[in-house]
Amino acid sequence: VELAGPLGGARVDTTELSGLEVELAEAWREERGRDPFMAYLYGLLLSERGNKGLAKEVLLGSVAHFPCNWGAWTALLPLFEAVPGAGELPDHWMSQFFLAALHLELQMNEEGLEQLAAVEALFPGSDHVQTQKATAHYNLRLFDEAQGMFQALVERSPYRIEGMDTYSNILYVKEDYAGLSHLAHHAMRTDKYRPETCCIAGNYYSLRMMHEKAVAYFQRALQLNKAYLSAWTLMGHEYVEMKRTEAAIEAYRRAVDINPRDYRAWYGMGQTYELLHMPYYALHYFRQATRLRPNDARFWCAMGQCYQSEQLGMVDKAVECYKNAEQRGDREGIALSKLAELYEKKGDLPQAHLYHQKNLERMDMDGGSHPEIVNALRFLAQSCADTGALEQAERYCTRLLDFGGNHREEAKLLLQDIRFHQQPVPGTPESAASPGGGMDMDMSPE
């Protein structure tokens, strides 16, 4: 009987499973695990029924007798909470493939790349190893390197579909319309009945802002494979774009039911509850995502924004989260901007100055026009003027003159005051010029 939820069937339950489990258990005890394929089936059933401990034991027995059954190794991946110790796995080269996959599953991507290097030495030119390496770089958000690896893989094995859904995620993030269109058409011509193909097409339509068509393709992927994790998560993203928050939450829940280690689904649920102005719920799900990927600055920033919300108002906790994000390489610069803002509101001007300066340096390195540059320059100009660092204040004011609006006029006035106070006072050395108290820039936002 299909048990349906808001998005359709959630799982299949049948009275035959209990009887089948009893028969397989008896056969497994009689065979003492010597039949690896019967043990594999029994392990799959135990895992589906929630008996994780026995399932792990049975599947380990299966791969011990027949190590080349990759399906059994794959079934073992969600049953390990940590990397197994010495002697826990069979002494076989397939164990190295499993360890590499497990490191990626546990988001230990750097260690996974080391393991993959060892496997690649045994199997040079393996497409599977190349796909895993590209996926590890994608998990590390090294999109350019991952894209290059996937492009090389496509050139070497043009009819490969496995892993191409991850490649489509990279093209989506980089907004490569032409590349994603080419990949979608090629996948459709190769095998349109693969869930990966439907996922690629869904990403293509999502990038084109055709969210209804994207959802249709993700649903088609789930018709082909109900446990296809990426489709549930990506469909949740589409429902968020369509403002169907209830359906989005249900899709994310299905994803974490399939794999509780799917940090994207936890993060998606947090964002959805944040849109619903429910920061307590959002914070819970952001914490789950951060637990799975503690080095991802995005999740620390998301928690900081929850703590900073009006409902919580926990500024010190928010500061702590943003500092963690900065230490973990916040690429978007959200943490620096928020830290400067929070310290400014708290009245801790030296710390506000420090983070405004760091943020300005980051924006200068990035190049382009950032809307936060003006606020940083205004604060730093006034702060330097107040503390007597007139040459630095003059430099910041000069940069402000390049911007229009009221900021330009304010910078002119402050610059006039700075230059007035830089003039030597009659009868005293030039260096005796004091900053004076007349320099003041209106720091209120427009």
Side-chain angles (χ1 to χ4, degrees):
V1 178
E2 190 96 4
L3 301 180
L7 297 181
R11 63 186 177 87
V12 175
D13 198 7
T14 173
T15 55
E16 300 296 328
L17 287 181
S18 298
L20 182 61
E21 183 178 356
V22 171
E23 291 183 22
L24 286 173
E26 292 177 357
W28 180 69
R29 283 192 293 269
E30 291 173 3
E31 292 285 336
R32 297 184 182 275
R34 288 191 296 269
D35 185 343
F37 298 103
M38 184 275 296
Y40 169 51
L41 291 176
Y42 184 37
L44 288 179
L45 181 57
L46 288 169
S47 182
E48 180 69 22
R49 303 276 285 179
N51 193 344
K52 305 294 185 183
L54 185 55
K56 182 178 178 180
E57 178 187 346
V58 171
L59 288 168
L60 282 172
S62 175
V63 296
H65 285 86
F66 189 77
C68 291
N69 181 7
W70 181 243
W73 288 108
T74 304
L76 275 167
L77 283 174
L79 303 179
F80 277 88
E81 297 296 329
V83 177
E88 195 171 345
L89 297 178
D91 185 14
H92 192 272
W93 49 263
M94 279 297 288
S95 295
Q96 297 188 42
F97 277 95
F98 173 74
L99 285 172
L102 182 61
H103 278 100
L104 266 61
E105 177 77 10
L106 297 173
Q107 295 300 317
M108 301 169 65
N109 295 289
E110 292 89 351
E111 295 86 346
L113 286 170
E114 294 176 4
Q115 190 70 39
L116 286 166
V119 175
E120 193 172 26
L122 295 174
F123 296 90
S126 166
D127 287 350
H128 173 78
V129 173
Q130 180 76 359
T131 303
Q132 292 288 84
K133 286 173 63 180
T135 302
H137 282 83
Y138 167 71
N139 290 340
L140 292 168
R141 297 178 63 77
L142 300 173
F143 298 132
D144 291 337
E145 293 85 344
Q147 183 178 4
M149 291 179 179
F150 275 120
Q151 285 174 343
L153 185 62
V154 170
E155 292 172 4
R156 191 169 68 199
S157 183
Y159 298 106
R160 182 182 180 86
I161 297 296
E162 184 182 358
M164 292 299 108
D165 50 346
T166 303
Y167 183 27
S168 74
N169 291 340
I170 296 170
L171 297 175
Y172 179 92
V173 170
K174 298 186 72 173
E175 298 184 357
D176 187 347
Y177 289 86
L180 188 50
S181 174
H182 176 76
L183 180 63
H185 283 88
H186 180 71
M188 280 290 182
R189 288 194 300 268
T190 302
D191 189 350
K192 64 181 180 180
Y193 295 111
R194 288 282 294 271
E196 293 92 338
T197 299
C198 297
C199 183
I200 294 168
N203 272 335
Y204 168 72
Y205 283 114
S206 177
L207 189 60
R208 295 284 304 274
M209 306 298 290
M210 302 168 68
H211 301 299
E212 291 81 3
K213 278 194 173 183
V215 167
Y217 273 99
F218 293 138
Q219 288 176 338
R220 187 177 300 179
L222 291 169
Q223 289 174 348
L224 295 167
N225 181 1
K226 203 71 173 177
Y228 185 48
L229 185 65
S230 294
W232 283 116
T233 304
L234 293 172
M235 190 162 64
H237 297 343
E238 295 308 302
Y239 281 131
V240 170
E241 293 292 334
M242 296 164 65
K243 304 295 188 290
R244 294 182 57 186
T245 53
E246 182 182 355
I249 291 170
E250 178 65 19
Y252 291 136
R253 287 193 188 282
R254 296 285 186 87
V256 297
D257 285 344
I258 295 169
N259 184 1
R261 290 199 283 250
D262 181 16
Y263 67 91
R264 296 178 183 88
W266 290 112
Y267 183 55
M269 275 199 285
Q271 288 181 310
T272 307
Y273 278 109
E274 195 173 28
L275 288 173
L276 295 171
H277 303 290
M278 302 171 70
Y280 287 98
Y281 285 91
L283 186 61
H284 167 74
Y285 294 115
F286 287 143
R287 280 174 176 162
Q288 295 295 326
T290 307
R291 179 180 60 83
L292 294 168
R293 277 176 65 99
N295 292 322
D296 198 319
R298 295 173 299 167
F299 303 158
W300 287 105
C301 286
M303 286 203 298
Q305 288 170 349
C306 287
Y307 282 123
Q308 192 181 348
S309 65
E310 292 182 4
Q311 292 96 320
L312 272 66
M314 303 170 69
V315 175
D316 291 336
K317 284 282 188 181
V319 167
E320 184 180 339
C321 288
Y322 289 131
K323 284 185 176 180
N324 280 325
E326 186 206 359
Q327 292 168 3
R328 286 159 176 80
D330 175 31
R331 297 183 182 183
E332 289 79 14
I334 296 172
L336 289 174
S337 176
K338 291 291 186 180
L339 283 168
E341 175 190 337
L342 290 175
Y343 276 120
E344 194 174 344
K345 288 181 178 178
K346 289 175 67 176
D348 191 341
L349 298 185
Q351 285 294 313
H353 182 101
L354 172 66
Y355 285 106
H356 272 302
Q357 195 169 37
K358 284 185 176 182
N359 196 29
L360 183 62
E361 291 171 0
R362 175 193 66 83
M363 291 185 285
D364 287 342
M365 288 181 63
D366 290 346
S369 177
H370 291 269
E372 301 164 6
I373 288 181
V374 171
N375 288 334
L377 288 171
R378 293 173 69 201
F379 179 88
L380 290 170
Q382 187 65 61
S383 175
C384 289
D386 291 342
T387 55
L390 299 184
E391 290 184 3
Q392 292 182 2
E394 186 176 7
R395 285 199 296 270
Y396 292 133
C397 285
T398 303
R399 289 189 60 180
L400 271 173
L401 294 176
D402 296 333
F403 297 90
N406 295 332
H407 316 300
R408 183 184 179 89
E409 299 304 319
E410 293 169 4
K412 284 182 179 179
L413 292 173
L414 183 59
L415 200 55
Q416 288 175 2
D417 279 346
I418 290 171
R419 288 171 178 168
F420 173 78
H421 286 278
Q422 284 177 327
Q423 294 177 0
V425 179
T428 61
E430 290 185 0
S431 59
S434 61
M439 293 176 289
D440 188 22
M441 181 185 291
D442 182 10
M443 297 300 292
S444 60
E446 287 188 340

